Structure formats: C-alpha cells, structure tokens
C-alpha cells in the first residue's frame, strides 16, 4: 500500500474513534478554538507536540520551523504570534527545542546553502554569542547539546522582545514564556527556563543544563554527554 493512502485510512480511523468517544466532538470543534498554549517548535519529524504532551485537538496553537527560531522578520511566525496573543489570548507560549536537532547541527557546522543556509544564519548567531562556553566543552556532542539549550534561551529572549509580547505585558495581559527541551532518547520534556512580565531581559543569564545521561547509557558505563 502506498504510504499516502495509509495516512488517509488512519485519518478515518482517528475520526471514528473520537466520534465513538463523544458523538458531538467535531460539532464542538466547529464552534471555535480556545487553546491555552502557543507552541513554537522544530519541524523535525520526530517531534510531535500534541502527541508527546497528550494534548487533544483545540488545546494547542502550533508554529514549527527548522531549529525552532524566533525571527521577527519571519511573517509566518509573527502572524501566528499575533493571533495567539491578541485574538486567542493564550496565557502560555512555549519555545521547545530538542537534542539531536539537525538545524542546530547545521548552524554549528556551517556550509548550508540556499534557503536553508539563509534561515540558519539566525541560529549561527547563537553559536557566536556563546562561543566561549562552547569552546570549553570537550566533545562535539557536548557542544551541540549545549547549543540546543542556548538556542532555546536566546529564542525565548527574542520572543520576549517582540512588540506583541511587550505590549501584552504592558497591558497586564497574563502571559508566561517557557523554554523547554525535548529529549528524543527517552521522550521527556525538560523545562529549561521561564520568563514573565517582571523579567529583566538584560539580566537573564545562561540556565543550567537540563541534559542528563540516558539511564541505559549510564548503566553501561558510558559517560554523560
């Protein structure tokens, strides 16, 4: 069977399962959305925000791009951000990166061309801004893992500096920004940092690493990354 046909069959089964659980499910969905979260994550096919948080349809407004970047010149992102904050009035925005990110690895290695190369320039600035800390690490894996974390930190600050978020905070709108890391080795999401209206962005330091060695790797005597 061709792969795309399997997607269509799976969709029918998914739809029927929801209807079996609640007959008016899609009728209620048609009435509108009121999600509590805007998720800004990576396009990586292994990272499925709704599935890995068990969030039902309607609970999460989602924007994804390569390396989960917050670039104010990205009209797609800014339109999603404006709609989420000003229309949907979500109280939480999550920037979620993940270890093993191909976009971060590409930014670190350099050499990407075309549209991808242009896009990753925004992540390359993170490499430059944290070059001192990265240089002190003794392996490429350690550097890439820390870069994933520093990228989330920097993108969260970029998010806080947007006019949309700044205006919401000034107006007293309840809004919290969360920086998370997804570990593809065990499926766990690890909170890295959080910002609110009282945060002094100029004083935000570098958060401690949330990367822990994988239990199996540690049990086998493999050093933490």
């Amino acid at each position: 069977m061709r792969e795309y046909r399997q997607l269509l069959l799976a969709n029918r089964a998914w739809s029927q399962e929801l209807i079996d659980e609640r007959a008016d499910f899609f009728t209620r969905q048609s009435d509108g959305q009121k999600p509590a979260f805007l998720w800004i994550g990576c396009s990586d096919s292994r990272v499925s925000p709704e599935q890995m948080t068990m969030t039902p349809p309607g609970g999460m407004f989602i924007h994804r791009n390569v390396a989960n970047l917050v670039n104010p010149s990205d009209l797609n992102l800014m339109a999603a951000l404006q709609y989420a904050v000003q229309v949907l009035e979500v109280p939480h925005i999550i920037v979620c990166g993940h270890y093993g990110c191909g976009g971060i690895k590409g930014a670190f290695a350099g050499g990407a061309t075309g549209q991808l190369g242009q896009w990753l320039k925004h992540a390359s600035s993170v490499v430059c801004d944290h070059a001192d800390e990265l240089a002190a690490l003794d392996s490429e894996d350690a550097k890439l893992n820390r870069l994933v974390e520093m990228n989330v930190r920097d993108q969260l600050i970029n998010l806080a500096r947007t006019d949309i978020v700044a205006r919401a905070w000034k107006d007293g709108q309840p809004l919290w920004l969360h920086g998370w890391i997804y570990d593809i080795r065990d499926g766990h999401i690890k909170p890295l940092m959080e910002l609110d209206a009282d945060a002094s962005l100029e004083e935000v330091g570098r958060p401690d690493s949330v990367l822990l060695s994988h239990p199996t790797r540690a049990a086998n005597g493999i050093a933490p990354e």
Side-chain angles (χ1 to χ4, degrees), residues 12 18 27-28 102 105 112 152 163 175 202 221:
R12 300 298 187 274
L18 290 175
T27 301
R28 293 171 62 87
K105 185 174 182 178
V152 167
D163 291 341
L175 184 61
E202 292 73 19

Side-chain angles (χ1 to χ4, degrees), residues 26-198:
F26 289 105
T27 301
R28 293 171 62 87
Q29 290 283 297
S30 301
D31 291 338
Q33 61 173 325
K34 191 60 178 177
F37 308 96
L38 166 61
W39 178 284
I40 301 174
C42 185
S43 300
D44 193 296
S45 61
R46 300 165 294 176
V47 182
S48 179
E50 292 168 308
Q51 186 174 11
M52 67 194 195
T53 60
M54 298 183 70
T55 301
M60 187 180 293
F61 199 63
I62 296 176
H63 174 87
R64 299 174 69 177
N65 62 55
V66 175
N68 45 272
L69 301 179
V70 177
N71 175 12
S73 66
D74 178 2
L75 294 181
N76 189 357
L77 166 66
M78 296 305 292
L81 177 62
Q82 180 183 359
Y83 192 81
V85 173
Q86 297 180 2
V87 179
L88 300 177
E89 297 183 335
V90 298
H92 301 280
I93 304 177
I94 298 162
V95 176
C96 187
H98 68 97
Y99 299 121
C101 180
I104 293 300
K105 185 174 182 178
F108 180 76
T113 59
Q115 286 84 357
L116 179 60
Q118 290 294 318
W119 177 254
L120 290 181
K121 285 182 179 179
H122 304 293
S124 297
S125 64
V126 181
V127 181
C128 295
D129 291 344
H130 300 282
D132 58 335
E133 182 176 358
L134 297 177
L137 299 174
D138 58 6
S139 72
E140 181 172 318
D141 281 346
K143 296 177 193 291
L144 290 172
N145 288 331
R146 187 55 173 161
L147 186 56
V148 165
E149 296 173 341
M150 287 298 93
N151 182 56
V152 167
R153 172 206 179 269
D154 288 7
Q155 304 314 316
L156 204 68
I157 293 174
N158 289 344
L159 179 64
R161 286 176 171 157
T162 62
D163 291 341
I164 295 167
V165 170
R167 186 179 306 117
W169 279 343
K170 182 179 180 181
D171 293 342
Q173 181 176 337
L175 184 61
W176 291 267
L177 311 184
H178 309 270
W180 290 356
I181 307 292
Y182 175 64
D183 195 333
I184 60 174
R185 301 172 304 169
D186 58 17
H188 291 174
I189 296 172
K190 301 172 181 180
L192 181 73
M193 59 184 295
E194 183 176 306
L195 298 176
D196 59 21
D198 295 327

